[in-house]
Amino acid sequence: MSGPLAVVLVAAGAAIGAPLRYLADRFVQARHDTVFPWGTFAVNLAGSALLGFLAALPADPALMTAAGIGFCGALTTYSTFGYETLRLAQEGARFAAVANVAASVAGGLGAGVCGFALAHAVTG
């Protein structure tokens, strides 16, 4: 899908995903007293699972544009993941930085696979 409608669908999805990312991140992080960025980790796993789920559904360009690209793209955040990992390393929390990279990559891939499998189980 391309053109003006695609831009509107991406913007609509992102308008929901971005504030939800911020609120979910703050909600999760406020419940942990560690340097590990649990909030970013949680939204990235959730977004990966949802995108995996959407990818397994029958092709609907409008749904994938709004929910997959717009919503999931704004909900997940590679830039914040990179920033927080770098910050951890600079502050001497090297184990947490390495753990963040390993857990985020493995967890994101695993969440995507689980979302994909769940969609196949639900849709048959």
Side-chain angles (χ1 to χ4, degrees), residues 24-25 28-29 36-48 75-76 104:
D25 174 71
V28 171
Q29 199 61 41
F36 191 84
W38 288 109
T40 300
F41 181 72
V43 295
N44 285 345
L45 291 188
S48 294
L75 178 66
T76 60
S104 293

Side-chain angles (χ1 to χ4, degrees), residues 1 4 7 26 30-31 36 47 52 58 61 65 75-76 84 88 90 92-95 97 100 102 104 112-113 117:
M1 170 171 269
V7 172
R26 296 294 86 212
R31 281 147 182 78
F36 191 84
T65 301
L75 178 66
T76 60
E84 289 173 343
L88 288 169
Q90 288 174 334
R94 286 183 174 75
F95 177 80
N100 189 36
S104 293
V113 168

Side-chain angles (χ1 to χ4, degrees), residues 66-96:
I69 297 169
F71 180 78
C72 289
L75 178 66
T76 60
T77 173
Y78 194 79
S79 58
T80 302
F81 156 73
Y83 165 76
E84 289 173 343
T85 302
L86 180 60
R87 183 183 47 81
L88 288 169
Q90 288 174 334
E91 293 175 358
R94 286 183 174 75
F95 177 80

